[in-house]
Amino acid sequence: MQFKLAHVAAFVSSVAAHMAMNEPCPRFSPNCATQPQLPVGQGYDYNIKNPIAYDGPVFKSNTPWPQPVALWTAGQPVNVGFQADGAGHGGGHCQFAISYDNGKTAAIVHKVMKHCFFNGPSNSNNAEVLKYTFTLPADVPASSNAQFIWIWTNAVGGRELYTGISDITIANSGGSKSYTGKSAIYPNHAGYDTIPEFGGDYTTGLSLYDNAPNVTITSSGYTAEQPSNQKPTMSKSLEPSSSDSCETSSASPKAPDLPVIHNTVVQPLTSTDSETPSLTAPSVKPTSDQGTDGECEPGECEPGALKCNDNGSGFKICTWGKWSDGFTCVQGTVCKTSDLNSVYCGWP
């Protein structure tokens, strides 16, 4: 009886402890190094490692953080990290995607197929890889209201779906207005095909990802045509929102369901007094902009451009052709402009 109880306890532990993202910090994880203050009426998700309910929403929360949790720059390396005490279920397929409409439509920017969390085939629950670094595509549009999405289909165990969604800012000095990539898919969820347990065959389910439709996303909407065998429950319409175009020169387009950034603290990397914290931003281009669709009245700056505040306490980002309140440098650092006409938070 003692053996049986111990065996049951071990099994319960293995199924209860799954994988969860902690960088960039997902909504509303209690397990990140830092996170914004919780929105009014929200609590920490202490079950963030649990799989997504088969017929429920594909994300555990549709309410964003009140501030972005990361600043990513198009064309530059970005990091995605996971908690160390999770169960890797032998690996599986991971998708990494960007969305501008609160996750209704997402375009893939990176994938780790077959052996996500592992260095090769494995039946282990002990994840070997807890951080992935990849280059964010250079044509991902700038936005202070973007979302990064992680989606995992496990190789071993019950047929489940795991996701995480983080609120981020994307900077892009190149002026890209759209990004086209494979649409994110949600296997093992209502409206999508079920990927069976791999059984040692790590090509299982790959055709679903290969056959996913392309989707074009913009910082103010999206356009996509879903194939007939995919019915995403999170999307009620495939038409661009009315905010895709500027109807008057006096009104700014409305960002979809997400707040404008305020007072986000950007943490510099560890450094000595003789080094410069490695937080670089795109070239500052405070020039007129044509707006989100090329036909609006010129704005006071180019979307995605950044510049230091007058007092050097932080920097601003251009959103919808206007300078937002932007970011505050971490205590002890100030905003500086580099020789390459970029801005960063560095030591005085």
Side-chain angles (χ1 to χ4, degrees):
M1 176 62 70
Q2 291 179 344
F3 170 78
K4 290 182 179 179
L5 288 176
H7 181 74
V8 169
F11 175 78
V12 170
S13 175
S14 69
V15 298
H18 306 292
M19 299 300 296
M21 183 170 61
N22 63 5
E23 180 190 1
C25 190
R27 306 167 182 172
F28 294 112
S29 173
N31 305 311
C32 305
T34 60
Q35 59 268 99
Q37 184 176 355
L38 284 170
V40 175
Q42 299 295 322
Y44 286 116
D45 181 5
Y46 292 101
N47 296 313
I48 196 166
K49 292 181 180 179
N50 288 357
I52 299 299
Y54 174 77
D55 57 355
V58 294
F59 306 112
K60 292 188 175 182
S61 177
N62 288 322
T63 302
W65 285 115
Q67 301 168 343
V69 297
L71 168 63
W72 285 4
T73 300
Q76 297 298 315
V78 296
N79 295 321
V80 179
F82 298 87
Q83 291 179 228
D85 55 351
H89 291 290
H93 308 318
C94 281
Q95 304 170 83
F96 303 96
I98 294 294
S99 175
Y100 297 97
D101 57 10
N102 209 16
K104 293 178 182 178
T105 303
I108 300 298
V109 293
H110 187 68
K111 292 190 297 185
V112 179
M113 297 285 99
K114 301 181 180 180
H115 310 301
C116 195
F117 306 121
F118 291 89
N119 294 312
S122 176
N123 288 320
S124 173
N125 257 350
N126 299 320
E128 300 169 346
V129 180
L130 296 176
K131 178 170 285 190
Y132 289 100
T133 300
F134 60 90
T135 299
L136 192 65
D139 51 346
V140 171
S143 175
S144 60
N145 295 307
Q147 300 85 48
F148 171 74
I149 294 169
W150 159 68
I151 308 163
W152 174 41
T153 304
N154 55 311
V156 176
R159 306 324 301 142
E160 297 167 334
L161 174 70
Y162 301 85
T163 68
I165 182 169
S166 306
D167 301 291
I168 64 172
T169 286
I170 297 176
N172 189 330
S173 62
S176 175
K177 303 298 182 185
S178 65
Y179 170 76
T180 299
K182 287 287 188 181
S183 176
I185 62 172
Y186 300 84
N188 304 339
H189 191 266
Y192 289 87
D193 292 326
T194 296
I195 296 179
E197 195 169 12
F198 289 12
D201 181 4
Y202 285 86
T203 66
T204 302
L206 289 183
S207 61
L208 292 179
Y209 302 89
D210 294 338
N211 295 330
N214 285 335
V215 59
T216 297
I217 55 176
T218 73
S219 59
S220 58
Y222 63 93
T223 56
E225 182 176 350
Q226 301 286 345
S228 58
N229 66 332
Q230 300 290 350
K231 299 177 181 178
T233 57
M234 76 293 290
S235 179
K236 296 181 179 179
S237 171
L238 297 179
E239 296 298 323
S241 66
S242 60
S243 62
D244 283 358
S245 61
C246 300
E247 297 179 357
T248 67
S249 61
S250 60
S252 296
K254 180 182 181 296
D257 303 324
L258 289 173
V260 176
I261 55 175
H262 292 290
N263 198 31
T264 298
V265 176
V266 179
Q267 297 283 356
L269 301 180
T270 302
S271 60
T272 65
D273 290 341
S274 61
E275 296 175 333
T276 300
S278 180
L279 175 66
T280 58
S283 299
V284 181
K285 296 183 178 180
T287 58
S288 296
D289 181 66
Q290 289 280 298
T292 56
D293 60 3
E295 298 178 356
C296 306
E297 293 294 326
E300 64 186 47
C301 56
E302 180 177 345
L306 292 96
K307 71 175 182 178
C308 292
N309 295 339
D310 293 339
N311 60 8
S313 63
F315 55 91
K316 300 179 179 181
I317 186 170
C318 182
T319 306
W320 307 127
K322 295 183 179 297
W323 293 110
S324 74
D325 289 346
F327 295 87
T328 300
C329 291
V330 72
Q331 185 174 5
T333 64
V334 296
C335 184
K336 296 184 175 183
T337 302
S338 73
D339 294 338
L340 298 177
N341 201 30
S342 295
V343 300
Y344 62 93
C345 293
W347 307 118

